[in-house]
Amino acid sequence: MEASVILPILKKKLAFLSGGKDRRSGLILTIPLCLEQTNMDELSVTLDYLLSIPSEKCKARGFTVIVDGRKSQWNVVKTVVLMLQVILVSANKLTRYIEPCQLTEDFGGSLTYDHMDWLNKRLVFEKFTKESTSLLDELALINNGSDKGNEQEKERSVDLNFLPSVDPETVLQTGHELLSELQQRRFNGSDGGVSWSPMDDELLAQPQVMKLLDSLREQYTRYQEVCRQRSKRTQLEEIQQKVMQVVNWLEGPGSEQLRAQWGIGDSIRASQALQQKHEEIESQHSEWFAVYVELNQQIAALLNAGDEEDLVELKSLQQQLSDVCYRQASQLEFRQNLLQAALEFHGVAQDLSQQLDGLLGMLCVDVAPADGASIQQTLKLLEEKLKSVDVGLQGLREKGQGLLDQISNQASWAYGKDVTIENKENVDHIQGVMEDMQLRKQRCEDMVDVRRLKMLQMVQLFKCEEDASQAVEWLSELLDALLKTHIRLGDDAQETKVLLEKHRKFVDVAQSTYDYGRQLLQATVVLCQSLRCTSRSSGDTLPRLNRVWKQFTVASEERVHRLEMAIAFHSNAEKILQDCPEEPEAINDEEQFEEIEAVGKSLLDRLTVPVVYPDGTEQYFGSPSDMASTAEHIRDRMKLVSLKRQQLRHPEMVTSES
């Protein structure tokens, strides 16, 4: 019977054990009757409960029952006395049987008793006893189930893997508090005196509490070890399960994903798409690699715990997990590096293709340069583009060879699967791209050679045209110099002959210039025929050259005629003017004087006549002042000749005048 079941009855205090003892060390049972009618059934229940509390040893010493009927009717007291079959004594005779210190204050004693306090402690005690007993049974069942040796018992022990119905820590704490309370209340007297508490060990079984606590601590310690072992085993099984999940996924779907991705793409866009797909695969692998890191840390922690029986299994799991993860990570890294190399290869190939397209486009456009300088600039640009293509092709070869080396070193992702067939397609593609670029580059080089030859011919054509134009300019300058500076006719025959000789040399220079220009123009015709083009300047340069040359020829002939007339004039005049007595008949020849005069007049008339070119234009030699000076010199000579003629005709006139 538990106090909690009859708690309302116990609160009525129909009877109680105060904790006091008689002289025989028997317990004192007090029944305080009151004015109200006492319910005998409730009293009987109370007595049954109270008498069940002491130990068998205490019960053997007997009980002393104090029925306090001072506040009750006699018939009630009589009924109780008859029911208990006790001997009646008066209150003043109690001390004969019981020491005063063992009596409560109601009977003149000094023993302190608080019924509600006792009841509360009793409730705590019974609750602790009930919970601890139940907990001990549960812990024993759990602990004993974990100690079973055969497989059948182990399978049964799995069913016992449950938590106790109450918290062991809470029950232990309650027991310690209860024990502490019992131990403190055992001696609670004042002024050095000892007062026996109603919470004596014979009433509340302090040894029982201690025994329960000891048993609880023992079973709880074993339970904690069982829980630790069970937790470790559970953790180990979970780790093993997770390890197999990681391994199975990496060797299964993970490897299948990598095996399915063997291509490198045929362009930048295709390689980028493959890279994006590979990043998705890496993302999925990263989740499992994160699990691997967590599992590795857990395994390392268990290894540090140092349980000998689990070390081999843990190390085996760790090694298996690490091998698979490292192998898969290596394959992912290899695939990523391969795709990056393929992307770079296609990038270089695309740049080179664009360079070749640009060069080909430049070569396909017909050349129409303005001058030789622009041709040289175009040639320089062509050479730079061709050099850039050479550099790009060399870079493509290097990238392609590096990619081929990576493919040749490719590991078998299928753990023994032959990947030669898949790799052959990649190798053929890489080699095909490099060969195609080489052929395109060779075609462009051939076209550049043709364009270079054509442009060099154009440079030569422009040079010939420029030189021909320069020859026209030079001839024009010679003509201009002839008309403006070749004016003098000489002061005598000798000087005039020198001028004539210089003029002939001058004409030779002009002739060489004209011939040089004609040769250049003939060369432009040949070059234009080779280039299948029309010369820009040969159409008007040749007429200009011929026109200037004809003008120069007319002016030169006029100059020669004037110099020859001047030579004849000066020669005849000098013969007459010289004093030649041995040839008087020659000097006296009148026809000679007339001839000199006629030549002089003709020369003077010629000086006033302009040079008439074939096109009808006219041009004078020198300025009017230059012509006047030359004419004045001729007139002076003619005067001297005329004076000489007069002297010969009338010598007396010359003598008288002298």
Side-chain angles (χ1 to χ4, degrees), residues 221-344:
T221 301
R222 289 182 58 196
Y223 171 74
Q224 287 178 317
E225 179 63 21
V226 169
C227 289
R228 189 184 71 82
Q229 292 294 336
R230 184 176 297 157
S231 175
K232 187 178 68 173
R233 173 51 56 183
T234 301
Q235 186 179 8
L236 185 59
E237 291 174 353
E238 290 177 354
I239 289 175
Q240 185 176 14
Q241 182 181 6
K242 290 182 179 179
V243 167
M244 295 312 299
Q245 287 178 350
V246 174
V247 170
N248 291 336
W249 190 90
L250 292 179
E251 292 182 343
S255 296
E256 286 297 330
Q257 288 178 347
L258 285 176
R259 280 195 292 269
Q261 299 293 316
W262 54 267
I264 61 173
D266 57 0
S267 63
I268 292 180
R269 180 173 297 179
S271 294
Q272 288 176 340
L274 289 174
Q275 272 193 332
Q276 184 176 1
K277 178 63 177 178
H278 183 72
E279 289 175 357
E280 295 175 359
I281 295 175
E282 280 187 330
S283 178
Q284 295 181 26
H285 278 75
S286 297
E287 297 176 1
W288 290 98
F289 287 153
V291 177
Y292 157 70
V293 173
E294 181 181 355
L295 288 174
N296 201 35
Q297 293 174 349
Q298 293 178 3
I299 293 174
L302 291 176
L303 288 174
N304 291 332
D307 288 339
E308 295 292 337
E309 58 185 17
D310 298 330
L311 287 180
V312 176
E313 184 177 0
L314 285 172
K315 288 183 178 180
S316 176
L317 284 174
Q318 189 180 43
Q319 187 64 42
Q320 181 184 12
L321 183 62
S322 298
D323 290 344
V324 173
C325 288
Y326 283 138
R327 182 169 58 245
Q328 201 76 356
S330 299
Q331 293 169 1
L332 286 170
E333 183 180 6
F334 176 86
R335 176 65 178 168
Q336 177 61 34
N337 293 337
L338 183 67
L339 289 176
Q340 183 61 35
L343 182 63
E344 293 175 0

Side-chain angles (χ1 to χ4, degrees), residues 145 209 228 244 253 320 332 371 390 428 459 503 553 591 603:
V209 175
R228 189 184 71 82
M244 295 312 299
Q320 181 184 12
L332 286 170
D371 50 31
D390 286 335
D428 291 344
V459 170
H503 177 71
T553 302
E591 292 180 358
L603 187 56

Side-chain angles (χ1 to χ4, degrees), residues 183-247:
Q183 291 173 344
Q184 289 178 4
R185 290 178 60 85
R186 181 171 177 80
F187 301 101
N188 61 353
S190 59
D191 299 331
V194 177
S195 175
W196 291 98
S197 168
M199 302 303 289
D200 195 9
D201 59 339
E202 293 179 330
L203 295 176
L204 295 182
Q206 178 177 329
Q208 184 180 358
V209 175
M210 296 175 66
K211 182 178 180 181
L212 286 172
L213 286 174
D214 292 339
S215 299
L216 275 176
R217 280 192 290 267
E218 179 184 358
Q219 290 293 339
Y220 184 52
T221 301
R222 289 182 58 196
Y223 171 74
Q224 287 178 317
E225 179 63 21
V226 169
C227 289
R228 189 184 71 82
Q229 292 294 336
R230 184 176 297 157
S231 175
K232 187 178 68 173
R233 173 51 56 183
T234 301
Q235 186 179 8
L236 185 59
E237 291 174 353
E238 290 177 354
I239 289 175
Q240 185 176 14
Q241 182 181 6
K242 290 182 179 179
V243 167
M244 295 312 299
Q245 287 178 350
V246 174
V247 170

Side-chain angles (χ1 to χ4, degrees), residues 133-149:
T133 303
S134 175
L135 181 59
L136 282 172
D137 293 338
E138 293 176 359
L139 292 178
L141 183 63
I142 295 172
N143 295 337
N144 294 334
S146 299
D147 293 337
K148 302 297 181 181

